[in-house]
Structures are given as C-alpha cells and as structure tokens.
Amino acid sequence: MDASPFVPVGRVRKARPAPGSVYVKPSGRTIGPPPAGATVWFVPPTEGLRSGRVLAAEPAAVGWMLSVEGLGSPEESMALSGSKVLVHRDQLEGLVVEPAAGVVGIEVTDALHGHLGAVEDIIVTGANDVWVVRGPHGEVLIPVIDDVVLAVDEARGTAQVRLPRGLMPGEGEAVL
C-alpha cells in the first residue's frame, strides 16, 4: 500500500468553457471520480486555486468533468491545465484500486528498444491493466497482455516485454 495519504486521481486536461469546471483524465488507481464534497488538490498549485471542494462530477469523453468550488472563471480553470489532481485517501473509499504488489518500480526491458524505464503507475481499465513506464524514451504505456508482457521477475525487479509497433513515443499508430 502507498505510504502517502493522497491519491493521484487524474490530470487536468483542459478547462470547460463554463466557469468552475475542468475536464480530468483519470489516473490508473481510481475507478470513479472523487465524490461531491471531497476536497481536491492541484499539483503544482497555481497562483489562484490550490484546492477546492468538488461540487459535482460527471462522465465526459476524456474522463470526468469536475465542478470545483473556488473556480470562478474559465481563465482560472485554464491555469490548472496539466496539473495533477490529488484527493485524500479517506475521501475515496471504494474508488481506489491498489496496484499489484511488486510491479510499481520494476525495470522494464524490450528486446528491440532495450531499457524502457521503471513502472511508475498502473492504469486500471475494463479490459486489462496498462503500465505507465518512464525512462530514456519518455513515457511508454504498456498493455499488460500475454502477447506484450513476456516475463515478470518480482524478486529481481525486472520485466521483459515485446512492444508492438506504435507504442514507443514518435512511432505513429499502434498495431496490436
């Protein structure tokens, strides 16, 4: 279990034209938006709003649309673009999925591209998990499926993968 009392629930993608709302792309450990009444923190904080109470959360094409108390203008909402959205773990009861023990932090290697970096997070989807790996190639999203993840050695902290074309940054469209 993560030692931090705060859980990253997503990242602000963009402001909604109406004042007081932002679109949030979910991160990998939540299965729903923060509930109304929960306090969200924006990291890094902006000059204006640093935290606010969720007034409403609705499904949106990119994840969720959060209406947050204290966001009074589209400009204030736009200033939050790119910020991580954190919520105290106690306010997310039943909405947090913990990553598989031992997977976060393992080093991932691909036969063609070599060392890809370490697993930093896990995106939980309806079909399969996706590892968020950061390293010398930037961020690589790796679907956890048998055709891609060939071996995981938790004792050594390593994983071997075979990435389909298109999953490396700058490669174009993925072919699975």
Side-chain angles (χ1 to χ4, degrees):
M1 183 176 218
D2 194 348
S4 172
F6 293 94
V7 176
V9 297
R11 186 173 297 275
V12 176
R13 296 279 298 188
K14 63 182 180 178
R16 183 170 178 240
S21 300
V22 291
Y23 290 107
V24 175
K25 179 181 179 187
S27 73
R29 296 193 298 186
T30 55
I31 57 173
T39 301
V40 292
W41 281 265
F42 299 100
V43 178
T46 61
E47 290 293 317
L49 187 69
R50 295 170 185 262
S51 67
R53 190 171 55 87
V54 175
L55 300 173
E58 301 173 25
V62 295
W64 315 308
M65 184 199 55
L66 292 183
S67 296
V68 180
E69 186 176 62
L71 282 178
S73 71
E75 292 76 26
E76 287 176 315
S77 297
M78 285 189 293
L80 294 173
S81 290
S83 297
K84 283 186 180 179
V85 181
L86 306 178
V87 178
H88 197 279
R89 185 175 298 279
D90 294 345
Q91 296 182 331
L92 291 173
E93 193 167 320
L95 295 174
V96 177
V97 176
E98 295 299 334
V103 177
V104 173
I106 66 171
E107 297 293 326
V108 180
T109 304
D110 176 68
L112 180 62
H113 302 287
H115 181 253
L116 299 177
V119 176
E120 286 192 353
D121 199 2
I122 299 173
I123 299 171
V124 179
T125 71
N128 56 269
D129 289 350
V130 177
W131 291 346
V132 179
V133 175
R134 286 198 209 301
H137 303 282
E139 180 180 89
V140 182
L141 301 177
I142 300 175
V144 182
I145 56 176
D146 291 341
D147 290 345
V148 176
V149 178
L150 305 177
V152 176
D153 186 339
E154 288 185 26
R156 291 187 177 178
T158 61
Q160 300 294 318
V161 299
R162 179 179 37 228
L163 294 181
R165 189 186 56 171
L167 290 186
M168 290 295 290
E171 270 191 336
E173 227 175 275
V175 177
L176 292 177

